[in-house]
CSV table of all heavy atoms in Angstrom, one decimal:
chain,number,residue,atom,x,y,z
A,62,ILE,N,18.0,13.1,-6.2
A,62,ILE,CA,18.4,13.9,-7.4
A,62,ILE,C,17.9,13.2,-8.6
A,62,ILE,O,17.5,13.9,-9.6
A,62,ILE,CB,20.0,14.0,-7.4
A,62,ILE,CG1,20.5,14.7,-6.1
A,62,ILE,CG2,20.5,14.7,-8.6
A,62,ILE,CD1,20.0,16.1,-6.0
A,63,ILE,N,17.9,11.9,-8.7
A,63,ILE,CA,17.4,11.2,-9.9
A,63,ILE,C,15.9,11.5,-10.1
A,63,ILE,O,15.4,11.8,-11.2
A,63,ILE,CB,17.7,9.7,-9.8
A,63,ILE,CG1,19.2,9.5,-10.0
A,63,ILE,CG2,16.9,8.9,-10.9
A,63,ILE,CD1,19.7,8.1,-9.8
A,64,GLN,N,15.2,11.5,-9.0
A,64,GLN,CA,13.7,11.8,-9.0
A,64,GLN,C,13.5,13.3,-9.5
A,64,GLN,O,12.6,13.6,-10.3
A,64,GLN,CB,13.1,11.6,-7.7
A,64,GLN,CG,11.6,11.8,-7.7
A,64,GLN,CD,10.9,10.9,-8.7
A,64,GLN,OE1,11.0,9.7,-8.7
A,64,GLN,NE2,10.1,11.5,-9.6
A,65,LEU,N,14.4,14.2,-9.0
A,65,LEU,CA,14.3,15.6,-9.4
A,65,LEU,C,14.5,15.7,-11.0
A,65,LEU,O,13.8,16.4,-11.7
A,65,LEU,CB,15.3,16.4,-8.7
A,65,LEU,CG,15.5,17.9,-9.1
A,65,LEU,CD1,14.1,18.6,-9.0
A,65,LEU,CD2,16.6,18.6,-8.3
A,66,ALA,N,15.5,15.0,-11.5
A,66,ALA,CA,15.8,15.0,-12.9
A,66,ALA,C,14.6,14.4,-13.7
A,66,ALA,O,14.2,15.0,-14.7
A,66,ALA,CB,17.0,14.2,-13.2
A,67,LYS,N,14.0,13.4,-13.2
A,67,LYS,CA,12.8,12.8,-13.8
A,67,LYS,C,11.6,13.7,-13.8
A,67,LYS,O,10.9,13.8,-14.8
A,67,LYS,CB,12.4,11.5,-13.2
A,67,LYS,CG,13.4,10.4,-13.5
A,67,LYS,CD,13.1,9.1,-12.8
A,67,LYS,CE,14.1,8.0,-13.2
A,67,LYS,NZ,13.8,6.7,-12.5
A,68,ASP,N,11.5,14.5,-12.7
A,68,ASP,CA,10.4,15.5,-12.6
A,68,ASP,C,10.5,16.6,-13.6
A,68,ASP,O,9.6,17.0,-14.3
A,68,ASP,CB,10.3,16.1,-11.2
A,68,ASP,CG,9.9,15.1,-10.1
A,68,ASP,OD1,9.4,14.0,-10.5
A,68,ASP,OD2,10.1,15.4,-8.9
A,69,ILE,N,11.8,17.0,-13.8
A,69,ILE,CA,12.1,18.1,-14.8
A,69,ILE,C,11.8,17.5,-16.2
A,69,ILE,O,11.2,18.2,-17.0
A,69,ILE,CB,13.5,18.6,-14.6
A,69,ILE,CG1,13.7,19.3,-13.3
A,69,ILE,CG2,13.9,19.5,-15.8
A,69,ILE,CD1,15.1,19.7,-12.9
A,70,GLN,N,12.3,16.3,-16.5
A,70,GLN,CA,12.0,15.7,-17.8
A,70,GLN,C,10.5,15.6,-18.1
A,70,GLN,O,10.1,15.9,-19.2
A,70,GLN,CB,12.7,14.3,-17.9
A,70,GLN,CG,14.2,14.4,-17.9
A,70,GLN,CD,14.8,13.0,-17.8
A,70,GLN,OE1,14.2,12.1,-17.3
A,70,GLN,NE2,16.0,12.8,-18.3
A,71,SER,N,9.8,15.2,-17.1
A,71,SER,CA,8.3,15.0,-17.3
A,71,SER,C,7.7,16.3,-17.5
A,71,SER,O,6.8,16.5,-18.4
A,71,SER,CB,7.7,14.4,-16.0
A,71,SER,OG,6.3,14.3,-16.1
A,72,ALA,N,8.0,17.4,-16.8
A,72,ALA,CA,7.4,18.7,-17.0
A,72,ALA,C,7.8,19.2,-18.4
A,72,ALA,O,7.0,19.9,-19.1
A,72,ALA,CB,7.9,19.7,-15.9
A,73,SER,N,9.0,18.9,-18.9
A,73,SER,CA,9.4,19.4,-20.2
A,73,SER,C,8.6,18.7,-21.3
A,73,SER,O,8.1,19.3,-22.2
A,73,SER,CB,10.9,19.1,-20.4
A,73,SER,OG,11.7,19.8,-19.5
A,74,ARG,N,8.4,17.4,-21.1
A,74,ARG,CA,7.6,16.7,-22.1
A,74,ARG,C,6.1,17.2,-22.1
A,74,ARG,O,5.5,17.3,-23.2
A,74,ARG,CB,7.6,15.2,-21.8
A,74,ARG,CG,8.8,14.4,-22.3
A,74,ARG,CD,8.7,12.9,-22.2
A,74,ARG,NE,8.2,12.4,-21.0
A,74,ARG,CZ,8.9,12.2,-19.9
A,74,ARG,NH1,10.2,12.4,-19.9
A,74,ARG,NH2,8.4,11.7,-18.8
A,75,GLN,N,5.6,17.4,-21.0
A,75,GLN,CA,4.2,17.9,-20.9
A,75,GLN,C,4.1,19.3,-21.6
A,75,GLN,O,3.1,19.6,-22.3
A,75,GLN,CB,3.7,18.0,-19.4
A,75,GLN,CG,3.5,16.7,-18.8
A,75,GLN,CD,3.4,16.7,-17.3
A,75,GLN,OE1,3.4,17.8,-16.7
A,75,GLN,NE2,3.2,15.6,-16.7
A,76,TYR,N,5.1,20.2,-21.3
A,76,TYR,CA,5.1,21.5,-21.9
A,76,TYR,C,5.2,21.4,-23.5
A,76,TYR,O,4.5,22.1,-24.2
A,76,TYR,CB,6.2,22.3,-21.4
A,76,TYR,CG,6.2,23.8,-21.8
A,76,TYR,CD1,5.1,24.6,-21.5
A,76,TYR,CD2,7.2,24.3,-22.7
A,76,TYR,CE1,5.1,25.9,-21.9
A,76,TYR,CE2,7.1,25.6,-23.1
A,76,TYR,CZ,6.1,26.4,-22.7
A,76,TYR,OH,6.1,27.7,-23.1
A,77,CYS,N,6.0,20.5,-23.9
A,77,CYS,CA,6.2,20.3,-25.4
A,77,CYS,C,4.9,19.9,-26.0
A,77,CYS,O,4.5,20.4,-27.1
A,77,CYS,CB,7.3,19.3,-25.6
A,77,CYS,SG,7.6,18.9,-27.4
A,78,HIS,N,4.2,18.9,-25.3
A,78,HIS,CA,3.0,18.4,-25.9
A,78,HIS,C,1.9,19.6,-26.0
A,78,HIS,O,1.3,19.7,-27.0
A,78,HIS,CB,2.5,17.3,-24.9
A,78,HIS,CG,1.2,16.7,-25.4
A,78,HIS,ND1,1.0,15.9,-26.4
A,78,HIS,CD2,-0.1,16.9,-24.8
A,78,HIS,CE1,-0.2,15.6,-26.6
A,78,HIS,NE2,-0.9,16.1,-25.6
A,79,LYS,N,1.9,20.4,-24.9
A,79,LYS,CA,0.9,21.5,-25.0
A,79,LYS,C,1.3,22.5,-26.1
A,79,LYS,O,0.4,23.0,-26.7
A,79,LYS,CB,0.9,22.2,-23.6
A,79,LYS,CG,0.2,21.5,-22.5
A,79,LYS,CD,0.3,22.2,-21.2
A,79,LYS,CE,-0.3,21.3,-20.1
A,79,LYS,NZ,-0.1,22.0,-18.8
A,80,GLN,N,2.5,22.8,-26.2
A,80,GLN,CA,3.0,23.7,-27.3
A,80,GLN,C,2.6,23.2,-28.7
A,80,GLN,O,2.1,23.9,-29.5
A,80,GLN,CB,4.5,23.9,-27.3
A,80,GLN,CG,4.9,24.9,-26.3
A,80,GLN,CD,6.4,25.2,-26.4
A,80,GLN,OE1,7.2,24.3,-26.7
A,80,GLN,NE2,6.8,26.4,-26.3
A,81,MET,N,2.8,21.9,-28.9
A,81,MET,CA,2.5,21.3,-30.2
A,81,MET,C,1.0,21.3,-30.5
A,81,MET,O,0.6,21.6,-31.6
A,81,MET,CB,3.1,19.9,-30.3
A,81,MET,CG,4.6,19.8,-30.4
A,81,MET,SD,5.3,20.9,-31.7
A,81,MET,CE,4.6,20.1,-33.2
A,82,GLN,N,0.2,21.1,-29.5
A,82,GLN,CA,-1.2,21.2,-29.6
A,82,GLN,C,-1.6,22.6,-30.0
A,82,GLN,O,-2.5,22.8,-30.9
A,82,GLN,CB,-2.0,20.8,-28.3
A,82,GLN,CG,-2.0,19.3,-28.0
A,82,GLN,CD,-2.7,19.0,-26.7
A,82,GLN,OE1,-2.7,19.8,-25.8
A,82,GLN,NE2,-3.5,17.9,-26.7
A,83,TRP,N,-1.0,23.6,-29.4
A,83,TRP,CA,-1.4,25.0,-29.7
A,83,TRP,C,-0.9,25.3,-31.1
A,83,TRP,O,-1.7,26.0,-31.8
A,83,TRP,CB,-0.7,25.9,-28.6
A,83,TRP,CG,-1.1,27.3,-28.8
A,83,TRP,CD1,-2.3,27.9,-28.3
A,83,TRP,CD2,-0.4,28.3,-29.4
A,83,TRP,NE1,-2.3,29.2,-28.7
A,83,TRP,CE2,-1.2,29.5,-29.4
A,83,TRP,CE3,0.8,28.4,-30.1
A,83,TRP,CZ2,-0.7,30.7,-29.9
A,83,TRP,CZ3,1.3,29.6,-30.6
A,83,TRP,CH2,0.5,30.7,-30.5
A,84,PHE,N,0.3,25.0,-31.4
A,84,PHE,CA,0.8,25.4,-32.7
A,84,PHE,C,0.0,24.7,-33.9
A,84,PHE,O,-0.2,25.4,-34.9
A,84,PHE,CB,2.3,25.0,-32.9
A,84,PHE,CG,3.2,25.9,-32.2
A,84,PHE,CD1,4.1,25.5,-31.3
A,84,PHE,CD2,3.3,27.3,-32.6
A,84,PHE,CE1,5.0,26.3,-30.7
A,84,PHE,CE2,4.2,28.1,-32.0
A,84,PHE,CZ,5.0,27.7,-31.0
A,85,ARG,N,-0.4,23.5,-33.7
A,85,ARG,CA,-1.2,22.8,-34.7
A,85,ARG,C,-2.6,23.5,-34.9
A,85,ARG,O,-3.1,23.5,-36.1
A,85,ARG,CB,-1.4,21.4,-34.4
A,85,ARG,CG,-0.2,20.5,-34.6
A,85,ARG,CD,-0.5,19.1,-34.4
A,85,ARG,NE,0.7,18.3,-34.6
A,85,ARG,CZ,1.3,17.6,-33.7
A,85,ARG,NH1,0.8,17.5,-32.5
A,85,ARG,NH2,2.4,16.9,-34.0
A,86,LYS,N,-3.1,24.1,-33.9
A,86,LYS,CA,-4.4,24.8,-34.0
A,86,LYS,C,-4.3,26.2,-34.6
A,86,LYS,O,-5.3,26.8,-35.0
A,86,LYS,CB,-5.1,24.8,-32.7
A,86,LYS,CG,-5.5,23.5,-32.2
A,86,LYS,CD,-6.2,23.6,-30.8
A,86,LYS,CE,-6.4,22.2,-30.2
A,86,LYS,NZ,-6.9,22.3,-28.8
A,87,GLU,N,-3.1,26.8,-34.5
A,87,GLU,CA,-2.9,28.2,-34.9
A,87,GLU,C,-2.7,28.4,-36.3
A,87,GLU,O,-1.7,28.0,-36.9
A,87,GLU,CB,-1.8,28.8,-34.1
A,87,GLU,CG,-1.5,30.2,-34.3
A,87,GLU,CD,-2.7,31.1,-34.0
A,87,GLU,OE1,-3.3,31.0,-32.9
A,87,GLU,OE2,-3.0,31.9,-34.9
A,88,PRO,N,-3.6,29.0,-37.1
A,88,PRO,CA,-3.5,29.1,-38.5
A,88,PRO,C,-2.4,30.1,-39.0
A,88,PRO,O,-1.9,30.0,-40.1
A,88,PRO,CB,-4.9,29.6,-39.0
A,88,PRO,CG,-5.5,30.2,-37.8
A,88,PRO,CD,-4.9,29.5,-36.6
Side-chain angles (χ1 to χ4, degrees):
I62 299 299
I63 289 171
Q64 184 59 52
L65 173 59
K67 289 178 179 180
D68 291 346
I69 293 169
Q70 290 172 335
S71 176
S73 296
R74 281 192 310 277
Q75 290 168 2
Y76 185 68
C77 178
H78 179 74
K79 287 178 185 176
Q80 279 187 321
M81 290 306 298
Q82 284 180 324
W83 185 81
F84 281 122
R85 283 188 182 116
K86 292 177 187 173
E87 183 56 52

